[in-house]
Amino acid sequence: MTPPRRVLYLSPTAQLGGAEHSLLDLAAGLDRRRYEPRLLCLGDGPLLGAALGRGVDATIVTTPAAFARTSLRGSRTAVARLLGSTVRALPTFVAIRRAARRLAPALVHSNGNKTHLLSAPLALAGRLVVWHVRDFLPDRRPERLLVRLANAAVAALVANSSAVAAHLVRLGARPALVHAIPNGIDVSRFDPDGPRADLRAAFGWPEPTRVVGMVGVLARWKGQEVFLRAAREIAGRTRDVRFVVVGGEIYQTSGHGDFAAALRRLARELELDGVVAFAGHRDDVPEVLRALDVVVHASTEPEPFGRVIAEAMACARPVVWARGGGADEIVGATGLAALGVERGNPAALAAAIARALAEPDAARRWAREGRVRIAERFDIDRHVERIQELYASLTGSGG
């Protein structure tokens, strides 16, 4: 019997955001008769314990603070600074190269831009390397250089949506290199009938109160400011609705930091005291989603995938969502398409939330359609199998 082929996963962070949850679901879901996952993280954090808890061997390597703060999403890092911090990260690359030699993986799977850069020398040296692209890379010189490097070195680019895949091709990626494989959702964990977080009791709200919430990492492009402004419009005319912002600032890259405080200041300026609550980071996301009457997605930039949309749909919750990017692919032609809104428009967001609250029967019907769509098209088992098929084609294992 052929022993399982080892896959070395590289994560640019050990925090637990959407990209890391998706990576963990993939690594933990591999068919262990075929593939053996190992995880290497830049820095320490909760991803390590979560991986070990799901049977994925995980270790860390340290990385210089300047490299950890570089970003192609937050405050876009300039070319000179990016190259300078990458040079200072040479010890981190050496640690990754040593790990690759020790583990002798059949392939290396990188989960973010910083590990893409650090894995490139491995690819140039002949090792099979896959880059998982989970963002719309800006159309600038650093990103085009990154794509040119991919064309020259890596075995495959996995995009988490067809929209991201098309964008990579527009940036110059060879079409044959790009594989659109949407993220998967564990529909048994995100099930409509599981336990619910008692948010009303937690914040002292009366039981009949309807609760509308945003769930996700606190970041400016995620649109929590838009959500608060929409909440102000609804609160001015509806007394039995409360709003909750769930999530924390988990990333240390440039462009992040101090946003939670800014959101609290904005809530005070909008006179939302007692109407809006900030729940911070929560590990019980399925329970939180099931407790919400309406789930809101309000990203101000096109969403590469939109994991919280898919999770809420799996929980059969009504979702008001900002159109564009991978979000459109998740919702599709379900009834929830009626709750799609223009990005960055608080009035449109408020109107869609009000509609979902005013038409509960329709909202529940649309939500049930959403659950069916996620189970049929975005189940985690389907995602893992597609990734394994790609691995097999790259390694020539045939299965």
Side-chain angles (χ1 to χ4, degrees):
M1 182 176 177
T2 304
R5 293 173 178 257
R6 187 167 292 159
V7 181
L8 176 60
Y9 292 97
L10 303 178
S11 175
T13 177
Q15 300 304 314
L16 267 173
E20 294 74 43
H21 278 292
S22 293
L23 174 67
L24 183 56
D25 283 347
L26 167 60
L30 293 179
D31 182 348
R32 299 303 177 86
R33 296 167 299 180
R34 299 166 62 188
Y35 298 104
E36 176 192 341
R38 296 293 183 93
L39 174 62
L40 195 63
C41 298
L42 305 191
D44 200 356
L47 176 57
L48 273 294
L52 293 171
R54 296 183 64 178
V56 178
D57 183 71
T59 55
I60 67 171
V61 294
T62 58
T63 188
F67 186 68
R69 288 193 61 80
T70 57
S71 174
L72 296 180
R73 157 72 72 180
S75 296
R76 315 291 189 189
T77 302
V79 176
R81 184 181 166 200
L82 180 65
L83 292 176
S85 62
T86 302
V87 169
R88 288 193 291 274
L90 180 60
T92 306
F93 163 70
V94 171
I96 290 174
R97 184 179 63 179
R98 286 174 179 165
R101 285 178 175 173
R102 182 180 73 256
L103 297 172
L107 57 85
V108 176
H109 187 136
S110 167
N111 200 51
N113 294 323
K114 287 193 279 288
T115 49
H116 296 346
L117 287 171
L118 293 172
S119 67
L122 299 177
L124 291 168
R127 192 173 293 278
L128 284 174
V129 175
V130 172
W131 287 0
H132 210 135
V133 182
R134 300 185 184 275
D135 282 312
F136 287 107
L137 301 179
D139 189 356
R140 301 191 327 168
R141 188 181 176 196
E143 292 77 19
R144 284 192 171 270
L145 288 173
L146 192 67
V147 170
R148 290 176 63 184
L149 183 59
N151 284 338
V154 307
L157 293 172
V158 174
N160 61 350
S161 67
S162 295
V164 169
H167 184 70
L168 284 170
V169 173
R170 287 194 295 271
L171 288 178
R174 290 187 288 110
L177 196 67
V178 180
H179 303 263
I181 304 177
N183 292 335
I185 302 299
D186 184 348
V187 295
S188 62
R189 180 172 177 240
F190 290 89
D191 183 274
D193 297 324
R196 302 185 178 195
D198 196 347
L199 298 177
R200 293 165 183 82
F203 300 112
W205 296 331
E207 189 57 39
T209 300
R210 294 175 291 175
V211 183
V212 178
M214 271 193 76
V215 180
V217 173
L218 298 187
R220 283 171 172 79
W221 76 276
K222 286 293 188 181
Q224 283 91 358
E225 293 172 319
V226 180
F227 175 63
L228 292 180
R229 296 185 187 282
R232 181 69 188 90
E233 291 197 28
I234 296 171
R237 56 180 184 263
T238 307
R239 294 184 177 276
D240 71 334
V241 180
R242 298 294 183 269
F243 303 86
V244 62
V245 177
V246 180
E249 295 179 278
I250 65 172
Y251 297 124
Q252 304 301 314
T253 50
S254 298
H256 294 95
D258 301 323
F259 187 47
L263 289 174
R264 291 178 183 274
R265 286 195 299 272
L266 178 60
R268 289 193 296 272
E269 292 169 8
L270 295 174
E271 300 180 340
L272 290 172
D273 291 342
V275 175
V276 169
F278 293 89
H281 175 77
R282 300 277 298 234
D283 292 320
D284 58 340
V285 171
E287 290 84 348
V288 169
L289 291 173
R290 285 189 285 261
L292 298 174
D293 293 280
V294 179
V295 178
V296 175
H297 164 270
S299 293
T300 58
E301 299 178 17
E303 188 72 58
F305 178 70
R307 184 179 174 92
V308 72
I309 300 173
E311 291 174 343
M313 288 169 65
C315 288
R317 308 315 298 154
V319 186
V320 172
W321 55 285
R323 297 190 188 100
D328 297 353
E329 299 170 31
I330 295 173
V331 175
T334 65
L336 291 172
L339 299 179
V341 301
E342 177 188 18
R343 295 191 304 275
N345 187 329
L349 190 69
I353 294 170
R355 180 179 182 184
L357 293 171
E359 303 178 27
D361 292 339
R364 281 192 291 268
R365 184 173 67 253
W366 298 340
R368 288 193 295 270
E369 289 180 36
R371 164 73 182 182
V372 172
R373 180 172 175 84
I374 297 302
E376 290 180 349
R377 294 173 178 261
F378 297 95
D379 179 69
I380 185 60
D381 291 340
R382 179 185 177 92
H383 171 79
V384 171
E385 188 52 41
R386 290 188 65 185
I387 294 289
Q388 290 184 154
E389 289 171 358
L390 175 61
Y391 290 169
S393 70
L394 297 177
T395 61
S397 63

